[in-house]
Amino acid sequence: MNSRLPDATVHILSSTVAELHVGTDVAEVVAPDSLALRDRVVEEIRQLAASAGEPAHATLVEGSSRWPLVVHPDGTYAEELESGEVVTEDAVATAEAVPTRTAPTPVSAAAAAVSPATAPPAPEPEARPTVQDLLDSRGGTTRARATEGWQGAVRRATGGLISPAPGRAERSRLDREKRVQRRLDAPRTIVVLNPKGGAHKTTSTLLLAATFGRLRGGATLAWDNNETRGTLGWRAQNAPHHRTAVDLLEDLDESSNFRGSSLAALDHYVRTQVDARFDVLASDEDAAASSTIDSAAFDRLHTLLRRYYRLMIVDTGNNMRASNWVAAVAAADQLVIVSTVREDTAASAAWLLDGLREKGFGRKIDEAVTVLTAPSSRPDRQLEARLAQHFEQVTSAVVKAPFDPSLVDGGPIDFDALAPETRDAWLTVAATVADRL
């Protein structure tokens, strides 16, 4: 049985900042407004619940007010009811001021029946304020403070005495971040597709996972769903083990009671990207192995992983006839079609979309997001425009991502080394995808 986690305490410092205390650990939670702050606090506590495999208990504290809360591993939450009432001094004084009443004179049943309207109505129980009432009582959202451009420079130079509103670029970034952070009512699966090798699938999977992980506070998984060998594990940051989806599946087969395991048990199989706040589940990396992942294996893994992750971004192989490839598309809540700005890669993506429509996935294609990445620092702009025009007509949106030299060596991705333009483009991709989840 899992040992119960220590209760969490959340100190609400402002409408956008809170501190989460769990034992001796303290984490800052920041959000653009009070509603987003609530969602991020609940998500942080949900992760504690998922890691323990049981509901997590927390107390929200603001000034002298304290609000008990229970968050379940699936993200649902509710207030705990206190076992007894707290009697205040005002209530005592009021009770002492009310004179003791004598017993009423008995009234016949017939008399009571003929004049029911004269009987005083039973007092309704007084509604107690809830934690939502506390958060909603803040009123409007706090005015955003500029941190970039000349507006941010003025604010820093004057110590905040002059605080201009954020400029257009910063407002755009804040809006996209808020869209990425929107609350999800259930786990979501995003599947990245293009049957051609070198189409930027693995890189796109990792960049999407890093963007969601950093802004949503974790509970994000990048999953390599190649039926044999993929390179997602190689492109991720180093981990203390080399276990893969095959190892997880084998242990899942051996233990019928894996349901009782906590998120911590998955640490033996996933590779945590600490700075980017997401996990990686690699595909088989044993060159001598003969095992493969089929549709049944994908479904078993997907059912398990949905219990622990709010977002799963699935990297797919190049064989669109493989059963696990088809299973991933069937399980997808959102498809992301990726292509470099090249004729052959784009044609492969277009062929894929035609084939998926013939297989009955037309609705998912209509809602898909296409990402066109530049293959060099000087892409063919005419070709880029032609490809964008085509995919805008067959999918719901097209987002362009620039060339970044830090991504071309094929080694582990250093997210901190990405150019600002690259991070901004993938923020746009993540926001565009999040809008459709």
Side-chain angles (χ1 to χ4, degrees):
M1 180 180 294
N2 296 321
S3 59
R4 188 174 182 272
L5 286 171
D7 289 352
T9 302
V10 181
H11 293 273
I12 302 173
L13 306 181
S14 71
S15 62
T16 59
V17 180
E19 282 187 348
L20 173 62
H21 295 250
V22 182
T24 58
D25 295 330
V26 180
E28 185 179 61
V29 182
V30 181
D33 54 51
S34 61
L35 294 179
L37 182 67
R38 176 201 64 190
D39 291 345
R40 297 204 70 177
V41 165
V42 169
E43 173 60 21
E44 291 288 343
I45 300 172
R46 187 203 68 78
Q47 291 184 51
L48 298 176
S51 67
E54 61 182 22
H57 297 248
T59 301
L60 275 69
V61 178
E62 182 176 35
S64 60
S65 300
R66 300 174 68 88
W67 306 83
L69 193 68
V70 174
V71 181
H72 297 266
D74 64 359
T76 58
Y77 62 95
E79 298 165 54
E80 286 182 304
L81 299 179
E82 300 290 350
S83 58
E85 292 187 359
V86 178
V87 181
T88 64
E89 293 180 0
D90 290 342
V92 173
T94 301
E96 292 174 347
V98 175
T100 304
R101 296 182 178 179
T102 58
T105 302
V107 179
S108 68
V114 297
S115 58
T118 61
E124 295 184 1
E126 181 182 355
R128 297 176 182 273
T130 67
V131 63
Q132 189 58 53
D133 293 323
L134 173 65
L135 294 175
D136 289 345
S137 67
R138 299 178 186 277
T141 58
T142 304
R143 180 175 180 268
R145 298 174 296 178
T147 61
E148 301 173 359
W150 67 262
Q151 297 93 340
V154 168
R155 178 174 164 268
R156 289 189 295 271
T158 62
L161 294 177
I162 301 176
S163 185
R168 180 182 300 178
E170 187 171 8
R171 289 198 307 272
S172 171
R173 176 180 60 79
L174 293 173
D175 172 71
R176 285 174 290 154
E177 288 179 353
K178 187 174 182 179
R179 288 155 58 193
V180 169
Q181 293 166 349
R182 64 185 292 266
R183 181 171 177 80
L184 302 175
D185 57 7
R188 293 288 187 266
T189 301
I190 301 165
V191 176
V192 181
L193 299 170
N194 190 319
K196 187 179 186 306
H200 221 248
K201 291 190 299 292
T202 298
T203 303
S204 298
T205 300
L206 289 170
L207 293 177
L208 262 180
T211 305
F212 277 114
R214 285 181 167 179
L215 290 174
R216 294 185 60 87
T220 298
L221 177 72
W223 173 8
D224 194 339
N225 184 42
N226 273 271
E227 67 270 25
T228 54
R229 180 193 61 80
T231 60
L232 189 74
W234 295 348
R235 300 298 307 274
Q237 296 296 320
N238 292 332
H241 67 79
H242 296 283
R243 297 184 186 89
T244 67
V246 172
D247 298 299
L248 176 57
L249 186 65
E250 289 176 351
D251 290 351
L252 185 60
D253 289 334
E254 293 174 3
S255 175
S256 61
N257 195 33
F258 203 95
R259 174 176 292 277
S261 299
S262 68
L263 179 60
L266 290 178
D267 285 346
H268 298 289
Y269 306 96
V270 299
R271 307 175 188 189
T272 300
Q273 310 298 290
V274 178
D275 293 338
R277 305 187 73 180
F278 73 95
D279 294 337
V280 167
L281 180 62
S283 63
D284 192 13
E285 297 173 345
D286 184 356
S290 59
S291 57
T292 60
I293 298 290
D294 58 13
S295 60
F298 173 87
D299 290 339
R300 293 194 68 200
L301 290 171
H302 187 247
T303 299
L304 170 71
L305 295 167
R306 276 173 57 90
R307 301 210 315 264
Y308 301 106
Y309 293 99
R310 300 292 272 180
L311 275 178
M312 287 176 283
I313 297 130
V314 181
D315 184 12
T316 55
N318 302 330
N319 182 8
M320 60 185 292
R321 296 184 177 89
S323 64
N324 67 311
W325 192 101
V326 177
V329 174
D333 298 293
Q334 179 65 44
L335 300 180
V336 177
I337 313 301
V338 297
S339 175
T340 54
V341 180
R342 287 173 52 101
E343 289 278 7
D344 55 349
T345 311
S348 176
W351 175 72
L352 162 70
L353 298 183
D354 293 344
L356 288 178
R357 286 189 187 279
E358 293 177 0
K359 291 183 177 181
F361 293 112
R363 185 172 181 179
K364 291 189 178 186
I365 294 303
D366 290 341
E367 292 299 317
V369 173
T370 300
V371 182
L372 296 176
T373 61
S376 69
S377 58
R378 302 181 65 180
D380 184 335
R381 296 301 181 189
Q382 185 175 358
L383 174 61
E384 182 182 69
R386 184 164 62 84
L387 298 181
Q389 181 181 28
H390 174 80
F391 288 103
E392 283 169 355
Q393 297 178 73
V394 294
T395 60
S396 68
V398 174
V399 184
K400 301 172 185 177
F403 172 79
D404 193 315
S406 69
L407 299 174
V408 299
D409 64 0
I413 295 177
D414 181 356
F415 300 102
D416 291 329
L418 296 174
E421 295 80 6
T422 303
R423 290 195 295 269
D424 189 72
W426 283 96
L427 174 58
T428 300
V429 174
T432 305
V433 171
D435 290 342
R436 291 155 175 78
L437 294 180

